[in-house]
Amino acid sequence: HTKDDLMKQLKTLHHARVVYFWRELEWMEREQEAQMCEWELLKHENASRSIVSKICLLGKEELKAVMIHKKNKRQLIMCQHLASDAARMEEICHQNKSQKHEDLEDAESKLQWMDTSALTKFHQRWATPKLYKRLYQVYFQKLSIFIAFSAEIAAVQKCLDRLNQELTANRTGIEQKTSQVEALERKFRRQGLLRLRRSSLGRKLFAKERRRTLVYAFRGWISFTRWHQGHRRSYELRFASFHYGALSKPGRLGDFKENVAQNNDFNTRGTVLEQYMA
């Protein structure tokens, strides 16, 4: 009994293992299928994203095309309006052309001849085409003369500018040479003065000061001479008066000699120059 139970249990265990392995194999197959489904799902998601991006690009292009279509439509409407305006203006221009053509014919008939004194000193009738040719010739002749005169004036102006530049350069050179000559003259004068004696150099360098000093000294000597002459004359006058008094009065001759001795006493009176300086 126990052996049969054991066999049954073994069979049951074997069957359970087989079922287990079989379920595990199915589970692995299902897992592989799930992985394949996930891969397919990821692939389809990427494809859907690319499709969505393409759809967005197509939408943008469609929107851009719609905008361009609207813009072209507006331009078409504008061009139609412009074409209608141009047609209307063309009609107006045709009308104006016919009117202007009539005015031109009228003007040509009126201006076929012209009286003028522009070419002669008196009024003369000219045919308008010949007058036009003649005025054209005179105008361009005057214009050619004016151009020639302008060219000559420009040439003369350039010549004058060149001469002015040369004069300026010469003036600058003259000033430089003059300054150089003055420097050389000062140098030669200095060298000449260095060769002179001290007295001659003093006369050259201090002429005014020497003249002023000599004038001052000469004036002093003149003043001194005048003072000395006056003093001597006064002394002679006093001597003559004393001499005359002594001769007229014999008793006063001794007093006169005593006064003369006092006047001639140089120890007490000093020299005449010291008196003058005092």
Side-chain angles (χ1 to χ4, degrees):
H1 180 71
T2 57
K3 189 175 182 179
D4 292 334
D5 293 335
L6 184 60
M7 290 297 292
K8 287 180 181 180
Q9 289 178 359
L10 289 173
K11 288 180 180 179
T12 305
L13 181 61
H14 179 70
H15 182 71
R17 286 181 177 178
V18 169
V19 170
Y20 173 73
F21 288 126
W22 177 258
R23 297 299 180 189
E24 188 176 1
L25 180 62
E26 288 181 353
W27 180 78
M28 291 175 65
E29 289 178 355
R30 294 291 183 276
E31 188 176 3
Q32 188 175 5
E33 288 178 358
Q35 290 179 357
M36 292 296 294
C37 291
E38 288 179 357
W39 176 255
E40 291 292 333
L41 180 62
L42 183 62
K43 185 177 180 180
H44 289 306
E45 286 179 356
N46 293 328
S48 63
R49 289 194 188 97
S50 63
I51 290 169
V52 169
S53 63
K54 289 181 180 179
I55 290 170
C56 291
L57 290 174
L58 291 174
K60 290 180 179 179
E61 289 180 356
E62 184 180 1
L63 182 61
K64 187 176 181 180
V66 170
M67 295 296 292
I68 292 170
H69 176 69
K70 290 181 179 179
K71 183 177 179 181
N72 292 331
K73 188 174 181 180
R74 288 196 299 270
Q75 289 181 355
L76 178 62
I77 294 169
M78 188 182 297
C79 291
Q80 288 177 355
H81 289 298
L82 292 174
S84 62
D85 293 337
R88 187 170 61 256
M89 290 299 296
E90 185 179 3
E91 293 178 358
I92 295 171
C93 289
H94 280 300
Q95 294 176 2
N96 292 329
K97 182 180 178 181
S98 60
Q99 184 66 32
K100 296 298 181 183
H101 186 69
E102 292 177 358
D103 294 339
L104 179 62
E105 291 179 352
D106 189 12
E108 287 179 351
S109 63
K110 290 181 180 180
L111 299 175
Q112 187 176 1
W113 301 94
M114 185 175 290
D115 295 334
T116 181
S117 60
L119 300 175
T120 57
K121 295 182 180 179
F122 53 89
H123 279 80
Q124 186 178 359
R125 176 163 290 187
W126 291 77
T128 304
K130 293 183 179 180
L131 180 62
Y132 172 76
K133 291 180 180 179
R134 182 61 179 167
L135 289 174
Y136 186 81
Q137 181 181 0
V138 171
Y139 171 74
F140 279 97
Q141 183 180 2
K142 298 292 185 182
L143 185 61
S144 302
I145 293 170
F146 175 75
I147 292 170
F149 283 166
S150 300
E152 187 175 359
I153 290 169
V156 172
Q157 184 66 32
K158 289 181 180 180
C159 183
L160 290 175
D161 292 338
R162 186 177 67 255
L163 292 175
N164 191 11
Q165 291 178 0
E166 292 178 358
L167 289 173
T168 304
N170 292 331
R171 190 180 299 110
T172 305
I174 289 169
E175 291 177 356
Q176 292 178 357
K177 297 298 181 182
T178 303
S179 62
Q180 292 175 3
V181 167
E182 290 177 355
L184 289 174
E185 288 180 353
R186 289 195 298 270
K187 181 178 179 182
F188 292 154
R189 191 181 300 112
R190 185 169 59 252
Q191 291 178 357
L193 293 175
L194 290 174
R195 295 190 186 98
L196 294 174
R197 294 182 179 179
R198 185 178 297 176
S199 59
S200 300
L201 188 61
R203 285 197 297 270
K204 290 285 186 181
L205 296 178
F206 306 104
K208 293 183 180 180
E209 189 66 26
R210 286 166 64 88
R211 188 180 298 106
R212 192 180 300 112
T213 304
L214 290 173
V215 169
Y216 179 73
F218 185 70
R219 287 178 180 174
W221 280 108
I222 290 172
S223 299
F224 170 73
T225 304
R226 289 178 179 176
W227 173 83
H228 183 65
Q229 289 177 358
H231 188 74
R232 186 169 182 175
R233 287 173 183 173
S234 65
Y235 176 76
E236 289 176 354
L237 181 60
R238 283 188 297 162
F239 181 80
S241 63
F242 287 151
H243 187 267
Y244 180 75
L247 290 176
S248 63
K249 294 178 180 181
R252 297 188 62 183
L253 182 60
D255 296 335
F256 174 71
K257 291 179 179 181
E258 187 179 356
N259 290 328
V260 170
Q262 290 178 1
N263 289 330
N264 291 330
D265 190 4
F266 290 98
N267 293 325
T268 58
R269 188 170 59 87
T271 62
V272 178
L273 181 61
E274 288 177 354
Q275 290 181 1
Y276 173 74
M277 295 300 291

